[in-house]
Each structure stands twice: as structure tokens, then as C-alpha cells.
Amino acid sequence: MSFKEKVIYQIYPKSFNDTDHDGIGDLNGIREKLPYLRELGIDMVWLNPVYPSPQKDNGYDISDYLAIDPLFGTMEEFEALIKEGKEYQIEFMLDMVLNHVSIEHEWFQKALAGDKYYQDFFYIRDEPTDWVSKFGGNAWAPFGETGKYYLHLYDITQADLNWRNPVVREELFKVVRFWMEKGVKGFRFDVINVIGKDEVLKDNPVDDGKPEYTDKPITHDYLKWLNQETFGRDPEIITVGEMSATTVENCILYTEPNRHELTMTFNFHHLKVDYENGDKWTTPAFDFEELKRLFHTWGEEMSKGNGWNAWFLNNHDQPRALNRFVSVENYRKQGAEMLATLIHLNRGTPYIYMGEEIGMIDPAFTSMNDYVDIESKNAYQMLVEKGLSEQEAFRRIQAKSRDNSRTPMQWTNEKHAGFTEGTPWLKVSASYPEINVEAAKNEKEQSIFAYYQRLIQLRKTHLVISEGDYQAYAPEHPQVYAFLRSYRDEKLLVLTNFYEKTTKIDLPEEFVEGKRLIDNYSDTVISKELTLKPYQAIALLVK
Ligand code: NOJ
């Protein structure tokens, strides 16, 4: 099967399914749910980091790349998961956090103890630059008692690795090969477009939202070498790069197949349309015009340049998309299906974040004590220091915290949503009595889950979905996002109404007799001037 027909499901292991009752999800918990994932129809599971880690940034602070954190299980259990996955035709993608390590990693500890060989693994400087950490504050911290500073673009406990050093690169290549030998068929490379730093580090020239170290030309070389030395040796392997503040031009370069860098890229521009002046901790209504413009630009440009997008609206770093884009009180189901349609019928690989397939929503936490995430805690402090009332600061955290999507998966309406028999590490969302897998199963064909099943199967049965080009349709429509896909003699028109207000849209003549491939309403009458109901999504096919 071409990778373009595959759908990837993201599991946040801490929150998926706990079998040893410690309140934290585990590998055996994932194994137990393989039949569920098969039923949904996905092909690959991306696991957020499961390596030993002090968990300051929930596993993105790795202290050993070549082992499994006992929190999640053992290496034997990991191997069993891969093996059993095969029986269900499910492959695994691991998270490779190669930009930084935890300061508890042996390399950093040795560097700190004075070992010059390991000091060259990091960016240690006498004079820091003006760079700020992505989690707030200075990106440089004192390097022990030396009077020098080490670079951490993320948390102070996440030290950036010096990719200029060939020994570092070789060590990291070994890590990727180690997991390839375990049968891993996918890699998600964390913030990989910031690994390439200059020898002489410079201050940020202007604050244009794209810091100095982003998308440096050398990063493309590093990715080519990484490809050559590791996953490029196995044509079945799928890779995705997480790209921070990137450009479409760079993403074409990262993914154009003849360049042998990565299979696809994640970018985040479309999830910043509810940021005021680029500031995440604000809560304006989302800017639909901008969202549409971004989808069209990335769709058309990547299509023309032969690049490949990874498409998603939810992940472990984002609040739930339903709360951001949909009037969730009244239209949770229609909204969830509309958003899923535009992701799954787009040109690129669709990602489903656990719980999205049953329409999970933000948890509505009531106190700052409910939050665990380091970024949310820092942001709260910062907002209060900036002069916001505690109430207002909290309201913003409630809307934007990453913990919104990290709450335990909702399996049943029993205690802790059937996630654990212990005490969950993060509170379960208050919505679990109504929103859970069991309830979805009871709704049968009417469920959001069943709609996802249909979308996943469509990608496997229609080349126009997996292979077709992308073209914007009616880009000026005030409430519809629409696009055309075409492949050989097939054409697909996808229409999504982003609002609860009914609207009309003109169909191209040829689609009036088109076949309804999917529709989240059952009584649609197709006509030249088509009426779209609240959050309606419909795809029409012509040959
Ligand atoms: C991106 C990851 O998705 C996020 O969760 C993490 O905090 C940062 N990279 C740093 O590794």
C-alpha cells in the first residue's frame, strides 16, 4: 500500500489506557486496544516519547534514547507490541527528539563534570544571544559553575544538541537505527527544523516570528545525511518532521521525494488563527479568512512543488479543535465530522489524535491545580506578572493549555472513564459520562466513530483522495472552505460549512450530477445552488 493511502493515529501513551493501575497509561494498555484501532481502520500509530525521562516536559526531555521508561513498561513489552501490531496490520511510529536531551542524560552530566569531549555535544558559550525559550524566559542558562551558558530552546532541563559535531550526528543516527532494528516503521522528528545552528550564533535580527535558527540551509543537509544513514535504507519507513515557524518553500524542500529528506512535514500556521498578534495566550474568535487562505496556500503550493503535508487539527500540544472551531454545545457531532472531512479528503496524510474519533472536547478544569503541563504553568505566571487578574489568566489557560488534549482517553462512562483503576495522573474530562467509546459504539452508524471509519476507507479506495492534485474552490466564500482534487479522469469536490448558519454555494455544472461520496447529513438535495446546513460537509465525485 502506498504511504499516501495510510492514516496515522496519535497516542499520548500517558493518557491512553492504564493496565497496571498506577494512573499512567502503558504499552500493555495500547496492546489491549489494538482491536479497537483495527476497527477504526488506521494503519500506523505514532507514540509520543516512551523513553526514560525525568518527565519535566512529559518525555520530550529524554535521559536515555535506547530504553523504555518503566512508567510505560519494558523493552520486551515494546517488542511484543510491535509484533502483535503486525497481526492487526498496525505499524508504529516513534517520536525522535533529536534537537535536545534532558540535562539528566549521561552526555550532559559528563559535560557538566568537565569532560571536553561531551561539552562539544552542546552549545556552551561565554556570551549568550538574545534568544528566548519557546516555553518563556531566557534560552540560555548557567552551565554549572563555569561562568558559561548552555542553550535550551525549550525548558531549562532540555539542552540543545550540537549537530555541527559529527560525533553527535553519528550518535543520533545510531539511535534511529536501534529502533529500526526493533521493527519501527515510522519516525516523527520533534522540532527538527531548528537543529541547524550557525557556528557563530547571532541575535535575532527582527522579531518576525521566525527566529534565527529556523530552517537554516544546513538543516536540509543534516536531513539528507540522516536519511542516508538510517531510514532511507528501508523504503517502507514513513517520516514526518515537526516544523516550527516554517515556510511552504522549505517544506517543499524537506519533502520533495527526489531530495531524500523526509516523507512529510507538520506545520502549525493553521492553528495560530486564534492568536492575537501571534500571541498564543489570547482568545479571539478564529480568523476564518486566514484559515482558508492557509489551507489553500499549503494545499496548492505543496501540490505544485510535489511536497507532502501531514494534516491535523488536534495533537498533544493543542487544545481540542472542537472547542476552537465549532459551536460545540449544539453541533459537536456535525462539527467533528466537518473538520474530519477536510483533513481526510485533503492532499496529504491525515493524523487522528486519540479521542478525536469520538468527538472529545476540552476538559473544563476549574483550578490551576488541575494542570500539570510546564508550559501552562509558566504561562499562568507570566500572564499574572504582566498584570492580568488571576481569573483572566486562568481563563486563558483554560482555553489554550496543552493539557486540554492530554486528559485520559474516554473509554466508558465508569469511574475515570475506564482509563485506569488507579488515580489518573491528569484529571479526566468532565464530559466522559456522555462522550466515550462505549457510547459511540451504541450509536452505531450514527456515531462520529463510524464517520471516521468511512473517511479512512475512502482514502484506500479512491486514488483521487490519496494521489490527486489540490486546487482551491470558491476561495472568497465567507463561510465555506472548499477544494477540488483531481486525478486522471476523476474529480472530487469537497465543501465544508464552517458555521452554524445555513449557507448556499454554486456548484460547477459537472458536479450537479456527481456522486455523493460522503455527507454528514442524510437528506441533502444536490442542485446547482447547493444549500449547506450547519457544519455540513459533503464530497462529490465525478468521472
Ligand atoms: C514539540 C513537542 O510536540 C512538544 O510537546 C515538546 O514540548 C517540544 N517539541 C519540545 O520537545
Side-chain angles (χ1 to χ4, degrees), residues 57 60 100 135 154 188 190-191 242 316-317 402 406:
D57 184 22
Y60 283 92
H100 44 263
F135 292 162
Y154 293 85
R188 179 256 188 198
D190 190 63
V191 293
E242 187 203 27
H316 65 292
D317 290 330
R402 307 194 291 183
R406 297 178 179 184

Side-chain angles (χ1 to χ4, degrees), residues 20 199 287 344 352 392 483:
D20 62 0
E199 186 150 29
D287 180 345
H344 285 257
I352 302 170
E392 176 58 16
F483 53 92

